[in-house]
Amino acid sequence: MAQQAYVAETDDGGSGDEQRGNRLRRLRNRLLDGWRGDPRIWRRGLILAAVAILLALVMLLHSRIPNRIGNLGSLTETFLPWFGLLVPVLLVLGLVRRSATALIAVVLPTVVWLNLFGGLLLSDKTGTGGDLTVATHNVNADNPDPAGTARDVAASGADVVALEELTASAVPTYEKALASTYKYHSVEGTVGLWSKYPMSSIRAVDIKLGWTRAMRATVATPEGRIAVYVAHLPSVRVKIEAGFTARQRDKSADALGEAIAAEPLKRKILLGDLNGTMNDRSLNAVTSQMRSTQGAAGSGFGFSWPASFPMARIDQIMVQGVEPVTSWTLPKTASDHLPIAARVNLDTSS
């Protein structure tokens, strides 16, 4: 009996998933072809590896960088988060050079940066509740729209607002724009405080400048009295011949820290432009005794300056004796700084 053979036909192309898998395997093989059997992958990229290790050491030991030469340590600490941008650059260069040594070395600065700042990006510490909202804004002496800026800050819903870099000619405009929202206010030199609650014991704070750029007031909230400080520390400059010039800022920070330490009220809030970040060791007189609301209850870095492309958080809300609940950056105004706000819990007995 004749027998017939039947041959099953198959689709050489395979299914869609199989085709995608084949393409991925071919791409992987092309990438690995240049690495397999090449003993030079360990000898190439030694300079890149050295740069990666140096970057890791700078971030890890930033507090050991001396300030004796151009305040280099403070300058590094001001822009420390941005050092992380060098990591992907080194990674790409390591791939281009096909250097296993460089790629392994890049792991070091990656781990250090994530240890320093990963928590700010990978976790959201903001909460709900709180019983007092505060805001602060360096309004810029050259602000072309002070009335609009005042309305923008008031729209945040803050109970207490601090403004810095006020000029004598602009103060009436701010007072008029904020009068309907804030019943109480006081201006000392170039800083001012507006509040929905009564204020007393208002005075200038001497930060060793020769003119007034800091003040304090007792604010009588429904939850009790708190001491509110407003400060605008001297500006810093980066000069080729002198480095990071911050001597006067540092001197004023020490004086402000002394004033806050001597404050008899236990609950304290500092609002202002400190012209420095929380990482800057030169602000230790202040930062060692107070908590940053952004660091404790914010999301992300909360950069506030310059407003056109924020690169550093030099505007600060800091507290002692109260609990930060949430902290955020407000929308851009006509100033060169972004306003910032925070909500805190004054009742910490529970």
Side-chain angles (χ1 to χ4, degrees), residues 194-266:
W194 278 257
S195 172
K196 295 180 180 179
Y197 305 121
M199 301 194 307
S200 62
S201 302
I202 302 166
R203 59 175 173 81
V205 175
D206 182 12
I207 56 173
K208 311 302 180 184
L209 278 175
W211 68 95
T212 301
R213 283 176 48 150
M215 63 177 289
R216 68 85 64 198
T218 299
V219 178
T221 76
E223 288 72 31
R225 298 188 306 158
I226 58 171
V228 178
Y229 284 76
V230 184
H232 182 195
L233 298 187
S235 299
V236 297
R237 297 287 186 270
V238 180
K239 300 179 180 179
I240 295 177
E241 72 278 7
F244 192 61
T245 57
R247 183 174 301 176
Q248 186 58 63
R249 191 277 313 264
D250 299 348
K251 181 180 178 182
S252 292
D254 290 342
L256 178 62
E258 291 174 5
I260 293 172
E263 171 61 50
L265 292 181
K266 293 183 178 180

Side-chain angles (χ1 to χ4, degrees), residues 275-286:
N275 270 306
T277 69
M278 292 297 294
N279 292 318
D280 191 337
R281 76 195 70 171
S282 296
L283 300 184
N284 279 352
V286 177

Side-chain angles (χ1 to χ4, degrees), residues 153-182:
V153 176
S156 67
D159 302 301
V160 177
V161 170
L163 300 181
E164 303 88 48
E165 210 164 295
L166 296 169
T167 62
S169 60
V171 166
T173 302
Y174 287 106
E175 290 175 331
K176 182 178 179 180
L178 296 172
S180 61
T181 306
Y182 302 97

Side-chain angles (χ1 to χ4, degrees), residues 115-138:
N115 182 61
L116 290 173
F117 304 111
L120 295 174
L121 297 181
L122 302 178
S123 64
D124 186 350
K125 300 182 289 295
T126 59
T128 58
D131 42 39
L132 184 74
T133 301
V134 296
T136 182
H137 191 24
N138 179 326

Side-chain angles (χ1 to χ4, degrees), residues 24-107:
L24 288 174
R25 281 191 292 272
R26 287 194 296 268
L27 177 60
R28 182 192 62 190
N29 289 336
R30 282 198 297 267
L31 290 174
L32 293 177
D33 281 344
W35 297 74
R36 289 173 177 155
D38 183 1
R40 293 182 299 168
I41 63 174
W42 300 103
R43 297 197 296 268
R44 283 194 298 258
L46 295 182
I47 294 178
L48 285 176
V51 172
I53 294 171
L54 178 61
L55 175 62
L57 290 174
V58 168
M59 291 190 292
L60 184 64
L61 304 175
H62 63 87
S63 62
R64 306 264 183 151
I65 300 175
N67 261 342
R68 292 188 299 273
I69 303 174
N71 280 305
L72 185 59
S74 289
L75 178 60
T76 301
E77 290 163 340
T78 297
F79 299 103
L80 194 60
W82 292 94
F83 280 62
L85 291 179
L86 295 175
V87 171
V89 174
L90 291 172
L91 177 62
V92 171
L93 291 176
L95 289 171
V96 171
R97 289 284 292 146
R98 294 181 178 177
S99 168
T101 303
L103 293 179
I104 293 173
V106 169
V107 173

